Amino acid sequence: MPTVDARPTSFDFDLDTTALLVIDMQRDFLLPGGFGESLGNDVSQLRRTIAPLESLLAAWRATGMPIIHTREGHKPDLSDCPPAKLKRGPMIGQAGRFGRVLIRGEYGHDIIDELQPLDGEIVIDKPGKGAFYATELSETLEKNGITSLVVTGVTTEVCVHTTVREANDRGYECLVPADCVGSYFPEFQQVGLEMIAAQGGIFGWVAESPAVIAAIQE
Ligand code: TIU
């Protein structure tokens, strides 16, 4: 059984029951000139996750273990966007540099070129921050016999955290590679990771991706 050097303890996982989750690596959040940057955010804080994620994805693909990508967004008529979310995110559905912001089918809503899903990889569209809410993720994991998740993507304290919390309550073991998750805010990155591994691993484990890659290549 592969073992990863992680916080707060080592993380043991079974190659047959572990999936890689790549959360919301979308152009709207990551591209210079896109929605995220238009809000005044520093996208370089997210873009530093791209190279480590490319390496982790390549290693994961070589094992044949499941890979699930998610995208945050809404139907073109916004019928799946709660008014409360729209009120605090008035740009949603408006014209942005890369199409209507966070709308399915728009260029900006899709995953960045470097991390495009390959045929056979699962893509889950989600209207919320968590990947379990109003999606087919639970059924997909059950169908594939998955009990552990390696959770990556953006942003650390928003969609990654919400998903890890949802997964934890559903009984999944979650490992978060620190270099493969990113926040626009360095202080949230740091404390977001600390919160996961605190109290003996209140939500899961935190590691570095080279340790995960070494473990799956053993
Ligand atoms: N994917 C995700 O985290 N969505 C967000 O809106 N994140 C922010 O940090 N705004």
Side-chain angles (χ1 to χ4, degrees), residues 154-167:
V154 298
T155 63
T156 307
E157 78 281 12
V158 182
C159 293
V160 172
H161 242 263
T162 307
T163 299
V164 166
R165 288 165 187 244
E166 287 180 324

Side-chain angles (χ1 to χ4, degrees), residues 23-24 26 29 72 126 129 154-155 157-160 184:
I23 307 274
D24 301 359
Q26 294 162 256
F29 295 124
E72 179 180 349
K126 61 186 186 63
K129 304 305 184 194
V154 298
T155 63
E157 78 281 12
V158 182
C159 293
V160 172
Y184 295 120

Side-chain angles (χ1 to χ4, degrees), residues 109-148:
H109 171 264
D110 204 3
I111 293 165
I112 57 171
D113 293 348
E114 297 91 324
L115 303 175
Q116 275 284 314
L118 298 185
D119 283 349
E121 295 177 1
I122 298 159
V123 179
I124 290 189
D125 282 317
K126 61 186 186 63
K129 304 305 184 194
F132 286 87
Y133 170 68
T135 72
E136 64 279 23
L137 181 58
S138 282
E139 293 85 336
T140 303
L141 296 176
E142 278 163 32
K143 203 173 67 189
N144 286 282
I146 299 300
T147 56
S148 298

Side-chain angles (χ1 to χ4, degrees), residues 146-216:
I146 299 300
T147 56
S148 298
L149 299 169
V150 173
V151 186
T152 65
V154 298
T155 63
T156 307
E157 78 281 12
V158 182
C159 293
V160 172
H161 242 263
T162 307
T163 299
V164 166
R165 288 165 187 244
E166 287 180 324
N168 178 65
D169 280 351
R170 286 165 174 78
Y172 293 95
E173 296 190 316
C174 295
L175 173 71
V176 178
D179 51 339
C180 293
V181 295
S183 169
Y184 295 120
F185 307 98
E187 65 273 31
F188 291 171
Q189 171 77 0
Q190 189 196 328
V191 79
L193 291 168
E194 284 173 10
M195 287 166 77
I196 291 169
Q199 302 182 62
I202 193 76
F203 298 126
W205 289 259
V206 175
E208 299 297 328
S209 68
V212 181
I213 292 170
I216 63 180

